[in-house]
Amino acid sequence: MQVLNIKDLTKVYGKGKASTIALNNINLDINEKDFIAVMGASGSGKSTLLNLISTIDSPTSGEIYIDGINISKLRASKADKFRKEKLGFIFQDFRLMDSLSVIENISVPLIIQNKSKAEIKQKVSNIMELLFISDLQNKYPYELSGGQKQRTACARAIVSSPKLILADEPTGALDSNNARNIMDILEKINSELAATVMVVTHDPLSASYCKKVIFLKDGQIINILDRTNQDRKQFYKEIIENNLAIQQELTSGEKEVI
């Protein structure tokens, strides 16, 4: 079953000669239980695509369907409700509430949805146990390491069982060891909770944990790599080789212009 369906998606900023095409006629389908990475150089359209999928921005043309709902047509109030009920977010800078403990931070999405205290307690307890952070439940963000903060953010993103989890550079603020741990967690969330996850990243190592990698360039999808039966090391090598080929094309284009 499709979770995300993007049809002829275009986003243009500005008008006339001052206009910039951020996304140019994107078509993309993501199914339940997919684990997808989106990669591309700065200015390739990664952030624009993420903003459109998350209902933060609206397309110039085209349509975006999530769980069968055309989110490109939602009014602001309905888009906000949709975002809270259907999407989970993981950010590079964690975005935890400093005044709330770990268990309170994780509970926020369920409180917003007016879930019962019993349901909140059970779901939060289960997700903390799954991500090995039960011992942190009464600590506050300032008492946590970067890796512990991101584990908490992952728990908050998944606790309400959203249709789609969007992770924006989730390992960008972490050292290599913690980055691997977080990608292990996202892989676990995808496999054990059957969550659909889209990761926007510039890091080939993080992308190698995913099942597919989508490459953007100049607002268009230029390649999709499928991990299929490869192990992670083989897939990592393929991602690196693809990145090098793209970089060589960019360098060649710059020389031609010069």
Side-chain angles (χ1 to χ4, degrees), residues 37-41 44 46 201-204 207 213-216 239 243:
V38 179
M39 299 190 73
S44 62
K46 301 191 306 297
T201 182
H202 69 281
D203 178 24
V213 181
I214 297 166
F215 292 88
L216 292 180
I239 293 167
N243 270 344

Side-chain angles (χ1 to χ4, degrees), residues 123-158:
K123 285 189 173 183
V124 173
S125 176
N126 289 345
I127 203 69
M128 287 193 300
E129 185 175 347
L130 180 71
L131 302 189
F132 307 111
I133 55 173
S134 297
D135 58 326
L136 303 175
Q137 61 182 303
N138 295 318
K139 291 185 177 293
Y140 287 82
Y142 70 88
E143 300 177 285
L144 306 179
S145 68
Q148 290 170 335
K149 289 178 182 178
Q150 199 59 297
R151 282 175 180 261
T152 302
C154 288
R156 180 185 58 189
I158 195 63

Side-chain angles (χ1 to χ4, degrees), residues 43-59:
S44 62
K46 301 191 306 297
S47 297
T48 300
L49 180 62
L50 189 68
N51 288 340
L52 293 175
I53 294 171
S54 61
T55 73
I56 293 172
D57 201 355
S58 300

Side-chain angles (χ1 to χ4, degrees), residues 100 128 152 175 217:
L100 301 182
M128 287 193 300
T152 302
D175 59 44
K217 178 185 173 185

Side-chain angles (χ1 to χ4, degrees), residues 219-237:
Q220 294 181 309
I221 295 174
I222 59 168
N223 198 11
I224 298 178
L225 297 183
D226 195 325
R227 183 171 171 179
T228 56
N229 296 321
Q230 296 181 81
D231 63 31
R232 193 174 57 77
K233 288 184 178 180
Q234 291 173 320
F235 197 40
Y236 173 73
K237 182 179 179 181

